[in-house]
């Protein structure tokens, strides 16, 4: 969307909710986030100043997913469950030609490499794994029975475990993206098929719980973001994804680059999380690396088929090899 | 043959322009995409410098796994043939031929070499992390 359209739309939208008139200032589109438009703004309203964030779909009519439709409700459910999330303010209406919602802005930063290297984040590096473990345990305690508004989220089809359904989904994505043959992916898919974990209970899975998707400051985690991939599934999926190599941003340790698996598991279980089976966790870590590899291919395909002209999406196609080297390590039994 | 500057020299000029002129004078998405573009151009420079060696090495590795085949003289035909041969390798993996035994070890070692070569172009820092003395 153009800046002027966002400015005028926001002023109308917030005025209707605060008893207007409203002036929006400091409107800026934030960098990063290839699948969403995120705008930062300040709004002066009759009820005071709101430092806000607008999250919107990129283009009208873009194929959507339940988690994106329900992102506002997801953040609200998380907020009520005591998860560290930005305060959700209002779900969108037809102000813009795309689906959107508004939440309060949380100061801090999200860039993974800054957490790993920033001198000012020495203390944060110590506490982040424990804070993430607590937040994840609280997310996994969210029950469908208490949240009928989240019933539309994806779930494994009848007769399939969550793990099997996830593997099926990403294998199909890989085979339909059809850029070039990837023997490493074939080996990984085969290993994953032969080592499928047993069925698990279904809980709310964040789906993209990792360094880069939470706001942090010197004191650690300030807000878990990017809920659009949330679904009902196996809690271990979030643990494995968190440990994926690309989400360590150069950090030496598996959990967000700064924590060990064992310390994380202990904190997660202590905070009320599910009992963790290590094999099950490692299956999802292998799967997570495969999944990110497939996503790099499908994002590049978005560019190659002309659906997007973004140089960022085009360049992501060359990140597939980063996941292949990790898959090879894991296939040879080297879990670092 | 084209006149100087060479491909590499021209790419270097464009990368320098993005780094020294565009990035410091832009913000947010524009600056971010300028950085991505600069990284892409630096990657292309590495690819041009190593492409011949890397393609030949992948071809040799596949000769070892699938049987010897003469390498086509033209680049486009090499790429096409590599796609076909990699698909043949995928097919054999799907059939379970690489599930265990010496062929699995040969496949893993070939794929490690090829993947490290890809990373040498796309992410040399990461390649160095995984490359052991004696590799490639």
């Amino acid at each position: 969307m153009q800046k002027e359209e966002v400015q005028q739309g926001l002023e109308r939208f917030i005025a209707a909710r605060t008893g207007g008139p409203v002036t929006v200032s400091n409107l800026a589109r934030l960098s990063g986030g290839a699948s969403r438009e995120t705008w930062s703004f300040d709004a002066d309203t009759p009820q005071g100043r709101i430092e806000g964030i607008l999250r919107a779909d990129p283009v009208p009519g873009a194929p959507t997913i339940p988690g994106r439709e329900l992102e506002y409700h997801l953040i609200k459910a998380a907020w009520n469950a005591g998860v560290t999330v930005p305060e959700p303010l209002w779900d969108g209406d037809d102000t813009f030609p795309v689906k959107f919602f508004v939440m309060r802005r949380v100061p801090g930063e999200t860039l993974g490499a800054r957490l790993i290297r920033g001198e000012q984040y020495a203390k944060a590096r110590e506490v982040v794994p424990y804070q993430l473990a607590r937040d994840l345990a609280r997310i996994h305690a969210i029950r469908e029975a208490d949240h009928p508004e989240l019933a539309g989220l994806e779930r494994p089809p009848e007769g399939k475990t969550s793990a099997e359904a996830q593997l099926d989904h990403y294998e199909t994505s890989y085979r339909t993206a059809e850029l070039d043959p990837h023997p490493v992916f074939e080996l990984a898919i085969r290993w994953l098929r032969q080592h499928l974990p047993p069925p698990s209970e279904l809980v709310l899975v964040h789906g993209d719980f990792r360094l880069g998707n939470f706001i942090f400051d010197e004191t650690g985690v300030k807000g878990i973001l990017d809920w659009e991939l949330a679904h009902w599934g196996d809690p271990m999926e979030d643990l494995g994804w968190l440990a994926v190599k690309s989400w360590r941003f150069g950090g030496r340790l598996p959990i967000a680059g700064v924590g060990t698996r064992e310390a994380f598991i202990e904190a997660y279980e202590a905070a009320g999380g599910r009992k963790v089976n290590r094999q099950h966790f490692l299956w999802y870590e292998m799967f997570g690396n495969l999944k990110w590899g497939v996503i790099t291919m499908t994002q590049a395909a978005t560019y190659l088929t002309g659906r997007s002209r973004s140089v960022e999406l085009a360049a992501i196609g060359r990140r597939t090899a980063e996941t292949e080297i990790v898959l090879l390590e894991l296939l040879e039994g080297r879990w670092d | 043959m084209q006149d100087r500057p060479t491909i590499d020299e021209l790419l270097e000029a464009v990368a320098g322009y993005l780094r020294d002129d565009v990035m410091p004078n832009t913000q947010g998405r524009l600056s971010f995409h300028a950085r991505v573009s600069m990284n892409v151009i630096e990657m292309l420079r590495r690819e041009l410098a190593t492409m011949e060696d890397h393609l030949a090495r992948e071809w040799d590795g596949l000769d070892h796994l699938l049987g010897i085949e003469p390498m086509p003289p033209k680049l486009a035909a090499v790429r096409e043939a590599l796609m076909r041969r990699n698909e043949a390798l995928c097919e054999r993996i799907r059939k379970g031929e690489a599930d265990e035994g010496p062929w699995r070890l040969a496949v893993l070692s070939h794929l490690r070499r090829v993947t490290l070569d890809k990373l040498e172009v796309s992410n040399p820092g990461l390649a160095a992390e995984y490359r052991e003395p004696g590799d490639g």
Side-chain angles (χ1 to χ4, degrees):
Chain A
M1 291 190 284
Q2 295 303 310
K3 191 170 174 180
E4 203 166 292
E5 183 188 3
V6 174
Q7 167 108 18
Q8 290 168 1
L10 268 177
E11 285 177 352
R12 266 200 328 275
F13 178 77
I14 298 172
R17 277 149 193 85
T18 57
V22 165
T23 311
V24 163
S25 53
N26 300 325
L27 179 65
R29 184 165 171 190
L30 304 179
S31 64
S35 65
R36 271 302 184 83
E37 275 193 22
T38 304
W39 296 79
S40 168
F41 65 90
D42 295 330
D44 287 301
T45 83
Q47 301 167 18
R49 169 166 274 219
I50 292 171
E51 297 179 346
I53 291 284
L54 167 77
R55 294 264 288 164
D57 281 1
V59 277
T64 193
I65 47 174
R68 191 177 294 165
E69 292 280 333
L70 294 170
E71 193 168 16
Y72 168 80
H73 293 285
L74 281 159
I75 293 175
K76 201 164 175 200
W79 172 267
N80 291 333
V83 180
T84 318
V85 280
E87 182 187 354
L89 293 173
W90 304 288
D91 202 6
D93 58 9
D94 56 4
T95 298
F96 298 112
V98 291
K99 175 94 185 153
F100 72 97
F101 71 95
V102 173
M103 62 188 184
R104 215 179 280 283
R105 187 164 76 238
V106 174
E109 56 181 326
T110 57
L111 290 179
R114 303 263 302 152
L115 177 71
I116 302 301
R117 297 199 200 102
E119 267 177 41
Q120 69 274 45
Y121 297 124
K123 173 87 176 100
R125 284 191 285 274
E126 277 175 32
V127 295
V128 156
Y130 302 99
Q131 293 168 332
L132 290 176
R134 187 201 55 205
D135 276 332
L136 198 53
R138 288 178 181 171
I139 293 169
H140 292 166
I142 294 175
R143 302 274 156 189
E144 191 175 355
D146 304 323
H147 292 277
E149 79 281 10
L150 299 179
L153 292 178
E154 285 178 11
R155 69 186 69 234
E158 207 62 48
K160 265 189 199 175
T161 65
S162 183
E164 197 182 1
Q166 288 284 313
L167 182 56
D168 285 355
H169 177 82
Y170 283 95
E171 180 175 356
T172 305
S173 269
Y174 159 59
R175 303 215 181 277
T176 36
E178 264 190 331
L179 296 180
D180 355 83
H182 281 69
V184 177
F185 286 2
E186 300 289 343
L187 285 172
I189 289 168
R190 211 169 154 78
W191 186 93
L192 289 164
R193 285 263 172 239
Q194 291 168 342
H195 296 85
L196 278 170
S200 75
E201 60 176 326
L202 291 189
V203 303
L204 183 66
V205 172
H206 177 283
D208 204 2
F209 193 83
R210 63 171 177 87
L211 179 52
N213 281 346
F214 59 84
I215 299 169
F216 58 89
D217 67 9
E218 290 80 356
T219 65
V221 177
K222 303 306 284 183
I224 308 290
L225 305 174
D226 294 297
W227 290 78
E228 60 195 87
L229 296 175
H231 56 270
W232 302 109
D234 185 335
M236 292 307 113
E237 186 190 328
D238 277 333
L239 277 74
W241 184 242
L242 177 59
V244 164
K245 173 86 179 185
S246 291
W247 311 142
R248 302 179 197 171
F249 293 89
R252 300 229 159 265
L253 296 174
I255 302 296
V258 295
T260 65
R261 288 188 195 81
E262 280 310 314
F264 184 84
I265 290 171
E266 201 177 298
Y268 171 80
E269 288 180 346
R274 299 291 166 287
K275 183 95 187 99
V276 176
N277 173 319
R278 267 69 173 171
Q279 291 307 311
H280 200 152
F281 180 138
L282 296 181
W283 188 93
Y284 272 108
E285 187 173 331
M286 171 89 90
F287 171 73
N289 280 285
L290 171 76
K291 173 177 159 183
W292 170 233
V294 171
I295 292 173
T296 62
M297 288 177 64
T298 52
Q299 293 205 334
T302 311
Y303 169 80
L304 292 169
T305 54
R307 276 174 287 156
S308 161
R309 302 309 299 163
S310 158
V311 65
E312 182 190 2
L313 286 178
I316 284 175
R318 291 296 187 91
R319 295 197 60 185
T320 311
E322 295 171 25
T323 66
E324 289 178 301
I325 194 68
V326 180
L327 289 171
L328 286 168
E329 290 280 303
L330 299 182
L331 284 164
E332 295 189 65
R334 285 198 285 271
W335 306 86
D336 60 344
Chain B
M1 186 169 171
Q2 296 293 337
D3 301 321
R4 294 274 298 269
T6 62
I7 298 177
D8 187 61
E9 286 161 345
L10 284 172
L11 289 177
E12 188 181 15
V14 178
Y17 164 72
L18 290 167
R19 182 185 59 240
D20 302 330
D21 297 314
V22 182
M23 279 173 53
N25 292 307
T26 50
Q27 294 178 336
R29 277 169 59 76
L30 263 182
S31 177
F32 174 69
H33 284 154
R35 176 187 296 278
V36 173
S37 304
M38 179 196 71
N39 288 338
V40 165
I41 289 174
E42 292 296 354
M43 175 173 70
L44 293 182
R45 295 179 66 199
R46 291 189 294 271
E47 181 163 354
L48 286 165
T50 55
M51 182 165 54
E52 220 179 335
D53 283 353
H54 288 177
L55 290 174
R57 184 147 51 203
E58 185 167 358
W59 191 272
D60 283 351
L62 289 165
D63 272 355
H64 180 63
L65 293 175
L66 302 173
I68 294 173
E69 205 180 295
M71 190 164 160
K74 288 198 175 168
L75 187 60
V78 172
R79 288 188 189 286
E80 211 166 288
L82 279 173
M83 290 266 273
R84 174 176 50 75
R85 301 187 91 193
N86 275 320
E87 184 46 48
L89 176 57
C90 287
E91 181 62 33
R92 289 182 62 176
I93 293 169
R94 283 195 295 269
K95 281 189 191 150
E97 291 180 39
D99 281 359
E100 54 189 13
W103 201 67
R104 177 179 181 83
L105 297 180
V107 168
L108 285 171
S109 130
H110 162 75
L111 291 175
R112 187 178 178 86
R113 217 157 33 236
V114 168
T115 304
L116 285 173
D117 282 349
K118 288 204 284 185
L119 283 176
E120 200 63 65
V121 169
S122 65
N123 189 338
L126 196 64
E129 201 181 304
Y130 284 103
R131 221 181 258 285
E132 290 155 12
D135 270 358

